[in-house]
Amino acid sequence: MVLPVLVLSYLLGSLVAGVLYSRARGEDIRERDLPGGSGTFRQYGPRAALLVGVLDVLKGVAAGLLARALLPEATWVGTLGVVLGHCYPVFFRLRGGGGIAPLLGALAVMAPLTLGGTLLAALVLIPLYRATLQSRVELNAVPAVTALVLPLGLWLSTRTGGLADLLAGGGVMALRAAHL
């Protein structure tokens, strides 16, 4: 069951909502920006970004549900596949997004407590970081705060579950970040 879950999750992840949205408008967002929620916000506004973000999270949820149903002992395979597909989509010449939204969706299914605690910490730290350190560090809030809350997420996942899913999705995202 490992290979079918991996392949189906990868194909699901390869349906990058930002690329599909921009192509429906006769463009390709990847010529100007990344095709995730943030890039879509910058290029097309908040409504489009909300739509793209929700669709990308939902494909993570779908991959998580698929993995939980078919491969409950190794759900990380579904998380790996969906994030890998989003970052390196077969349908779009392996040029996709950063993987945040599908990872959030997969973790919502596989490790909701880990996800909730990590997101809560990020929501508290982002405004604090922006108010105090961003102008001096000159690093955008999301990557900076992600680096700060990652240890919390890892710790929570060892206590409440989802460590393998977090590592699988996070590993792909780190690889994608290195390529960007």
Side-chain angles (χ1 to χ4, degrees):
M1 266 309 163
V2 171
L3 191 58
V5 169
L6 181 62
V7 169
L8 288 172
S9 297
Y10 174 78
L11 292 174
L12 187 59
S14 290
L15 298 170
V16 182
V19 176
L20 294 170
Y21 180 86
S22 69
R23 287 203 173 166
R25 294 179 56 121
E27 304 171 355
D28 188 338
I29 191 172
R30 297 170 304 163
E31 293 172 3
R32 298 185 308 273
D33 216 326
L34 287 174
S38 297
T40 302
F41 179 83
R42 286 187 292 271
Q43 301 303 317
Y44 302 110
R47 286 185 188 174
L50 181 62
L51 174 66
V52 164
V54 166
L55 290 173
D56 284 341
V57 166
L58 286 176
K59 72 183 176 186
V61 168
L65 292 172
L66 174 74
R68 192 168 67 188
L70 299 178
L71 201 62
E73 70 282 0
T75 58
W76 63 269
V77 174
T79 303
L80 175 71
V82 74
V83 177
L84 190 63
H86 183 83
C87 293
Y88 301 99
V90 67
F91 305 126
F92 304 116
R93 294 188 315 251
L94 306 178
R95 290 180 45 229
I100 295 170
L103 178 59
L104 293 177
L107 289 177
V109 173
M110 301 307 159
L113 294 176
T114 296
L115 176 62
T118 305
L119 285 178
L120 181 62
L123 291 174
V124 168
L125 288 175
I126 285 174
L128 288 173
Y129 173 81
R130 284 183 175 152
T132 59
L133 293 174
Q134 188 168 6
S135 62
R136 284 181 263 164
V137 177
E138 296 181 4
L139 183 62
N140 198 352
V142 172
V145 170
T146 298
L148 293 173
V149 300
L150 181 60
L152 172 65
L154 291 171
W155 179 79
L156 282 172
S157 69
T158 64
R159 301 286 187 258
T160 64
L163 178 61
D165 293 278
L166 184 60
L167 292 175
V172 174
M173 288 173 53
L175 179 65
R176 180 67 173 143
H179 286 148
L180 292 173

